[in-house]
Structure formats: C-alpha cells, structure tokens
Amino acid sequence: ALVVLSHHTAPIVTVLAFGIFTVVSTATVAAIFYYYTTRPAAAGIRLQALSADLTQRTPALIAVVSATVGFVLIIDGALALLTT
C-alpha cells in the first residue's frame, strides 16, 4: 500500500489516515473471507469468472497502467525542468 501525504500534513492526520486505511483494508479482506466461508459454491463461481476476465484483460490493463504512469512521469519531469 502506498500512502502519499504532503510534508505539511500534521502528524495526527497522518496517523488518522494510516489508521483508517488499516481498518478499511482489514475489513475488506475479512468480508471476502466471510463471503467465501458462508457461500463457497457462489464464491467459487464468481472467482472463476473473475479469473477468466482478468486473464483476458491483463495485457490491456498493464498497457493502460504503464502508459498512465509514463505520462505522469513525463509531465512531472517537464514541470520540474520548467520551474528550475
């Protein structure tokens, strides 16, 4: 997980943001585990469908994420060069 905060952010806000992230991420994992243990057949069907969908879309998803990151880095670098 990556949490980005400004260096001007108060320490209490940083701790609060980290605490909220910890609770939400743990609750998400717990909800998935609960769903799988209470409805294993339905969860298995949904998991197979999700796996097939991700297998089919992974190359396009990687391309979009890579292009987006590259674009952001190019803009950040250009802005840094223009402001110095």
Side-chain angles (χ1 to χ4, degrees), residues 7 10-11 18 22-23 25 31 33-35 38 46 50-51 56 58 60-62 66 68 74-75 77 80 84:
H7 65 282
F18 183 73
T22 302
V23 168
S25 64
F33 180 73
Y34 175 76
Y35 180 73
T38 58
R46 291 186 75 166
L50 179 62
S51 176
Q56 182 181 6
T58 297
L61 185 62
I62 290 172
S66 297
T68 303
I74 288 170
I75 296 300
T84 57

Side-chain angles (χ1 to χ4, degrees), residues 28-43:
T28 303
V29 171
I32 293 168
F33 180 73
Y34 175 76
Y35 180 73
Y36 184 76
T37 56
T38 58
R39 302 179 190 150

Side-chain angles (χ1 to χ4, degrees), residues 3-72:
V3 178
V4 179
L5 296 168
S6 171
H7 65 282
H8 297 293
T9 303
I12 189 70
V13 174
T14 304
V15 170
L16 184 64
F18 183 73
I20 290 171
F21 170 78
T22 302
V23 168
V24 170
S25 64
T26 303
T28 303
V29 171
I32 293 168
F33 180 73
Y34 175 76
Y35 180 73
Y36 184 76
T37 56
T38 58
R39 302 179 190 150
I45 292 169
R46 291 186 75 166
L47 185 58
Q48 286 176 350
L50 179 62
S51 176
D53 189 47
L54 283 176
T55 301
Q56 182 181 6
R57 294 178 190 230
T58 297
L61 185 62
I62 290 172
V64 168
V65 170
S66 297
T68 303
V69 169
F71 180 74
V72 168

